[in-house]
């Protein structure tokens, strides 16, 4: 276990869920079991329900977190450059199940990510941060190993797409 400490935090030896000390004082991790919903007062399943509808609370938290990251970077004199999330759209459209989005129908993952990418673009503009638009149309299913990880060729294409903007933005 490693020790963690930072400004305004006390040392702690509480391991996080990956078994590493995260330096934060908080209640120990409680494992969620299939019957944990029984303890909810409203009786709702804490895992949620399957839906492709936008989650306005998630979007508000996402916008808040983007603002926070930008402020932290600005306070440290670091230029913030935002890049949208890209996925294998074709694989999501044709899949019946995607393990990492068990509550979002696969065909609805890209439209929801587009919404989050739009929020990122808007926050970047409002905060004076850079946003490098990388159109999903620049990529095909062959650029991905699976639902969201690039092949070596896809990674090279992504890097080549970003490089000119990164060079321009970091030259200032």
């Amino acid at each position: 276990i490693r020790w963690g400490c930072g400004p305004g935090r006390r040392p702690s030896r509480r391991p996080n869920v990956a078994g590493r000390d995260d330096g934060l004082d908080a209640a120990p991790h409680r494992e969620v079991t299939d019957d944990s919903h029984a303890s909810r007062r409203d009786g709702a399943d804490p895992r949620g329900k399957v839906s492709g509808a936008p989650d306005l609370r998630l979007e508000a938290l996402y916008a808040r977190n983007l603002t926070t990251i930008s402020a932290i970077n600005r306070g440290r004199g670091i230029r913030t450059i935002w890049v949208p999330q890209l996925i294998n759209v074709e694989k999501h459209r044709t899949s019946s199940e995607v393990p990492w989005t068990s509550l979002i129908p696969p065909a609805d993952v890209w439209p929801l990510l587009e919404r989050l990418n739009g929020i990122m673009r808007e926050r970047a503009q409002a905060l004076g941060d850079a946003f490098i638009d990388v159109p999903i149309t620049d990529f095909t299913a062959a650029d991905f190993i699976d639902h969201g990880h690039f092949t070596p060729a896809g990674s090279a294409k992504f890097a080549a797409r970003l490089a000119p903007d990164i060079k321009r933005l970091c030259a200032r």
Side-chain angles (χ1 to χ4, degrees):
I1 296 177
R2 70 176 172 80
W3 287 80
C5 189
R9 295 190 330 195
R10 297 178 311 185
S12 150
R13 287 195 61 190
R14 180 185 60 85
N16 67 16
V17 293
R20 296 182 311 270
D21 185 317
D22 62 10
L24 302 175
D25 287 329
H29 173 70
R30 181 178 67 85
E31 188 170 328
V32 177
T33 60
D34 286 343
D35 62 351
S36 64
H37 66 280
S39 64
R40 287 211 24 177
R41 292 178 194 184
D42 62 6
D45 187 335
R47 295 169 293 189
K49 61 181 180 176
V50 176
S51 173
D55 183 333
L56 300 180
R57 175 139 168 79
L58 168 69
E59 292 176 1
L61 290 170
Y62 184 66
R64 181 201 68 189
N65 291 346
L66 293 171
T67 301
T68 301
I69 291 166
S70 179
I72 290 168
N73 288 346
R74 189 170 292 104
R76 293 177 176 170
I78 299 169
R79 172 143 201 183
T80 304
I81 301 171
W82 298 104
V83 179
Q85 174 71 44
L86 302 177
I87 61 170
N88 184 343
V89 175
E90 187 57 35
K91 185 131 182 140
H92 278 82
R93 283 188 186 135
T94 60
S95 292
S96 60
E97 184 178 320
V98 180
W100 63 274
T101 60
S102 60
L103 295 177
I104 303 171
D108 293 329
V109 171
W110 178 244
L112 291 172
L113 279 176
E114 278 187 306
R115 285 179 62 92
L116 294 176
N117 289 342
I119 291 168
M120 180 186 288
R121 180 183 293 107
E122 291 166 7
R123 294 305 315 142
Q125 183 178 16
L127 296 165
D129 293 340
F131 179 86
I132 300 175
D133 191 16
V134 182
I136 192 65
T137 54
D138 289 357
F139 298 88
T140 68
D143 292 316
F144 295 89
I145 294 171
D146 56 16
H147 288 87
H149 299 94
F150 286 120
T151 63
S155 292
K157 183 190 282 189
F158 183 67
R161 178 67 180 82
L162 290 176
D165 288 324
I166 297 289
K167 183 178 180 180
R168 176 182 54 80
L169 290 164
C170 291
R172 296 182 194 183

